[in-house]
Amino acid sequence: MKKNNLPENKNLDLIRALIIKHKKNDHIFAGIGFFVIASLAVALLVLFLDLLINGYPKINLEFFSNFPSRKPEMAGILSAWMGSALVLFVTFFVAVPIGVAAGIYLEEYAKKGWFADLIEINVSNLAGVPSIIYGLLALGLFVYEFGMGQSILTAGLTLSLLMLPIVIVSTREAIRGIPVHIREAAFAVGATKWQVTWHHVIQYAMGGVLTGIIIGMARAIGETAPVITIGALTFIAFLPPSPVTEVAPFINFDWLDAGFTVLPIQMFNWISRPEHAFHINAAATGAVIIMLTLLMNGVAIKLRYNIRKKIKW
Amino acid sequence: MVKKQEIIKAESRNFNFFYADGTHALKDINVPLYEKRITALIGPSGCGKSTFLRSFNRMHDLYPGNKYQGKIILNPDDTNILDKKVDAIEVRMRISMVFQKPNPFPKSIYENVAYGLRVRGENNKRMLDDKVEEALKGASLWNEVKDRLPDLAFNLSGGQQQRLCIARALATDPEIMLFDEPTSALDPIATVNIEELMSELKKKLTILIVTHNMQQAARISDYTAYMYLGKMIEFDETDIIFTNPSKKETEDYITGKFG
């Protein structure tokens, strides 16, 4: 026995040197990670601030309540944000039920096999297809084949195609995150598959599903190419018929057939004008789009947090 | 060897089980479960005890490709619960299960216990209240939770969660209750509570328990089956298994020479 009771083959200095050497990797990795994240965040921030500073003089209530105009100081984004809102409304009500149902079917009901694999690969691939391809598909299918015209309905359906894979994939991920033992607990008391799906799977997956939905919506709101492809208007000084009416039955669907424009197209339109004043409008519109996107992502994070707080596996 | 007055509640006959990958997990198992008795399954890890237990409420049906062979007869109606014509849900409504890890739903205490009744279409508030109270009392949890039934089940301690799961399984008046190592995730005091609870429960129903803890099997069970490599090595009264087993393998395992 030595004085410090260490066995002969242990050399504390060597062990400590080894630990320091190994820990160096931690620091290196953390350093690189921080650098990458920071540069991305700074790039985004600079972009956003640039838009905000340029567009700041225009961002006021009138900007939201005026139609576009030939005079840049009079021009606003009323028809654009209204168009975006209505298109997203359609997108939401088409993509969410279909996407969530498809996710549940694929995860819970579909027999595993080559067919399921094929669908799986296809869905993942669809998420990566350039959005202009969806625009072309919609132009051929919705606009000409189905005769829906260059309407809000067409745009909504097109963007829902774009959003569908995101919703499906996030639904499946969320369902896979539910532990087997919770599922088995429900089956063990005699629940049917549908009861397990309805009472448990959907409820516990809701956090992840919502996140997917809002991220999909945030992507849809900024999409320009497919909406241009199907022939959205670039200058529009009227609103679609109101979805809510004063006489019974108080709702109408005429707005689905109306022409429209959306925020990114309005922005694109102003950028391509020579006058500098229009560029300010474009910057303001860009700032609005980014703020909307950030807002939606913020809501998604908050919702997910609220739902997950209640669930501990 | 087996006392005359015992009634057989369920019995496996030449039971074989194959996993989807072809593994022959259980080989010719013949075990009776006596009514209002506790039968313990012991054996080293991987011997098939849990696989056998889970066959009793057709849990293996949840994963495609698994195959049962032979019979598990449920009395008094002489139903072969493995028969394809018998719906797995019907079996699970008669035979309930408590799992290794407490697995309450992320719902309120009340809804956890009421769930088994809800899936049976019971929506009468009064009826549900009564049943929930009865089940929680049966699981000796009522006094601890009666003032906070709407609280989330996750706020309970591990031992309380496991008793909640027992209440959930109890609420539907099962004929047999299966326990898959119910105390392996619990501390010693919670374990004693669960063991006492099981001794209380056997006055009303039949219990099959898988346990890694031989002292536990010796303490609470009336019959013990020793399994090894998917085979039933020996089945007898617990006293006999632990004091005078007839097979050498059983003795080796019991005395700790093996396993």
Side-chain angles (χ1 to χ4, degrees):
Chain A
M1 282 285 185
K2 295 206 161 183
K3 60 177 186 284
N4 55 5
N5 289 341
L6 277 175
E8 297 210 8
N9 58 348
K10 294 270 164 158
N11 182 334
L12 269 185
D13 291 334
L14 269 180
I15 293 174
R16 284 173 189 154
L18 194 73
I19 293 171
I20 289 169
K21 196 176 129 203
H22 286 174
K23 279 200 166 173
K24 208 175 275 166
N25 292 341
D26 284 346
H27 297 306
I28 293 172
F29 179 77
I32 295 175
F34 178 78
F35 177 73
V36 172
I37 297 273
S39 32
L40 281 173
V42 166
L44 190 69
L45 199 68
V46 167
L47 201 72
F48 180 52
L49 285 180
D50 184 50
L51 285 173
L52 203 62
I53 291 165
N54 281 328
Y56 182 71
K58 281 299 291 183
I59 300 180
N60 51 36
L61 219 57
E62 274 172 27
F63 187 58
F64 289 93
S65 62
N66 282 355
F67 283 111
S69 160
R70 256 171 295 152
K71 300 187 200 97
E73 62 278 8
M74 301 265 295
I77 54 171
L78 177 62
S79 48
W81 74 255
M82 201 65 112
S84 276
L86 290 174
V87 168
L88 281 185
F89 187 76
V90 175
T91 303
F92 180 85
F93 279 97
V94 174
V96 171
I98 297 180
V100 172
I104 290 170
Y105 173 77
L106 288 173
E107 210 50 46
E108 297 286 317
Y109 285 88
K111 285 231 161 57
K112 307 283 175 269
W114 65 269
F115 189 66
D117 290 346
L118 195 73
I119 293 178
E120 168 131 32
I121 292 167
N122 258 303
V123 171
S124 317
N125 276 338
L126 279 178
V129 170
S131 55
I132 185 116
I133 307 291
Y134 286 101
L136 289 174
L137 168 77
L139 185 67
L141 194 67
F142 299 141
V143 178
Y144 294 126
E145 199 65 39
F146 295 165
M148 292 175 183
Q150 297 155 346
S151 61
I152 290 176
L153 179 63
T154 305
L157 290 176
T158 311
L159 292 183
S160 57
L161 285 181
L162 212 80
M163 190 176 151
L164 214 45
I166 302 173
V167 177
I168 295 176
V169 169
S170 65
T171 303
R172 297 187 65 180
E173 295 281 318
I175 290 176
R176 275 182 219 166
I178 299 171
V180 171
H181 60 259
I182 295 287
R183 223 179 261 272
E184 289 189 345
F187 278 115
V189 294
T192 62
K193 202 160 192 168
W194 176 247
Q195 285 170 327
V196 173
T197 306
W198 191 244
H199 298 151
H200 302 279
V201 171
I202 292 182
Q203 314 229 346
Y204 311 151
M206 206 36 100
V209 173
L210 274 176
T211 316
I213 290 171
I214 296 179
I215 287 172
M217 297 281 281
R219 182 180 168 192
I221 201 177
E223 274 304 337
T224 324
V227 192
I228 290 184
T229 315
I230 59 169
L233 302 169
T234 47
F235 185 93
I236 179 170
F238 57 86
L239 287 180
S242 168
V244 188
T245 56
E246 281 166 20
V247 292
F250 302 110
I251 48 166
N252 83 70
F253 290 100
D254 292 346
W255 55 274
L256 284 173
D257 282 328
F260 68 99
T261 193
V262 291
L263 286 166
I265 293 182
Q266 185 66 69
M267 182 181 172
F268 176 70
N269 179 26
W270 278 333
I271 286 176
S272 48
R273 301 286 281 267
E275 300 95 326
H276 178 68
F278 277 118
H279 295 172
I280 292 174
N281 288 359
T285 315
V288 168
I289 296 175
I290 292 187
M291 279 191 282
L292 275 177
T293 311
L294 290 180
L295 185 75
M296 289 170 86
N297 283 329
V299 170
I301 291 166
K302 175 73 182 145
L303 281 175
R304 184 173 52 184
Y305 173 78
N306 280 353
I307 291 176
R308 298 230 169 125
K309 200 168 52 176
K310 281 187 265 174
I311 295 177
K312 275 178 263 165
W313 306 124
Chain B
M1 111 189 178
V2 170
K3 294 171 207 130
K4 277 277 179 340
Q5 66 271 31
E6 299 286 55
I7 304 163
I8 293 178
K9 177 64 194 167
E11 187 176 17
S12 77
R13 293 186 194 153
N14 298 322
F15 174 55
N16 284 269
F17 180 77
F18 303 84
Y19 275 111
D21 62 5
T23 316
H24 192 174
L26 296 173
K27 296 158 190 163
D28 290 319
I29 309 279
N30 292 291
V31 176
L33 303 189
Y34 294 105
E35 190 160 58
K36 297 182 181 170
R37 296 288 177 269
I38 298 179
T39 305
L41 296 169
I42 60 169
S45 295
C47 70
K49 338 181 264 301
S50 284
T51 306
F52 182 51
L53 180 103
R54 288 163 63 89
S55 304
F56 274 84
N57 69 345
R58 301 261 298 262
M59 269 291 142
H60 301 297
D61 286 29
L62 299 179
Y63 310 97
N66 295 331
K67 213 166 88 217
Y68 311 98
Q69 225 175 55
K71 288 178 177 174
I72 294 180
I73 299 294
L74 185 59
N75 287 325
D77 46 321
D78 198 32
T79 307
N80 174 16
I81 59 172
L82 300 179
D83 194 329
K84 288 238 171 4
K85 276 174 273 177
V86 178
D87 198 308
I89 291 168
E90 179 192 316
V91 177
R92 292 178 199 140
M93 288 190 168
R94 299 181 63 182
I95 302 178
S96 65
M97 176 162 175
V98 175
F99 294 79
Q100 184 172 2
K101 213 180 129 204
N103 55 356
F105 303 129
K107 296 180 187 287
S108 69
I109 293 170
Y110 183 94
E111 282 307 322
N112 262 282
V113 182
Y115 188 66
L117 302 160
R118 292 234 192 255
V119 301
R120 285 156 175 77
E122 183 58 66
N123 278 318
N124 182 332
K125 180 87 176 69
R126 194 102 161 259
M127 174 87 171
L128 284 174
D129 287 353
D130 288 350
K131 278 282 187 185
V132 167
E133 181 175 343
E134 191 190 319
L136 283 170
K137 279 179 176 160
S140 2
L141 191 60
W142 176 249
N143 288 330
E144 289 155 70
V145 302
K146 65 182 173 201
D147 300 320
R148 46 173 179 151
L149 293 178
D151 279 14
L152 276 181
F154 287 123
N155 295 333
L156 298 173
S157 74
Q160 288 174 323
Q161 287 187 18
Q162 193 62 305
R163 275 180 282 150
L164 181 70
C165 294
I166 293 174
R168 179 174 67 194
L170 205 55
T172 54
D173 296 324
E175 296 159 50
I176 300 177
M177 264 174 96
L178 310 170
F179 290 83
D180 189 0
E181 297 185 42
T183 60
S184 66
L186 303 181
D187 63 66
I189 293 170
T191 301
V192 171
N193 286 338
I194 301 273
E195 287 181 5
E196 283 171 357
L197 181 53
M198 276 191 275
S199 306
E200 198 59 36
L201 287 175
K202 80 166 180 181
K203 290 175 186 163
K204 287 185 294 186
L205 42 82
T206 308
I207 291 175
L208 178 63
I209 175 176
V210 163
T211 176
H212 257 121
N213 179 335
M214 271 184 283
Q215 285 77 30
Q216 181 169 67
R219 275 196 299 271
I220 62 169
S221 71
D222 303 292
Y223 295 91
T224 298
Y226 171 60
M227 290 176 72
Y228 180 58
L229 293 177
K231 287 191 186 120
M232 180 64 55
I233 305 297
E234 191 171 351
F235 171 84
D236 213 322
E237 285 175 48
T238 298
D239 290 345
I240 296 175
I241 290 275
F242 280 92
T243 53
N244 190 20
S246 54
K247 296 266 173 55
K248 177 90 173 53
E249 295 105 303
T250 314
E251 192 181 330
D252 287 351
Y253 183 72
I254 301 290
T255 53
K257 278 184 203 148
F258 160 78

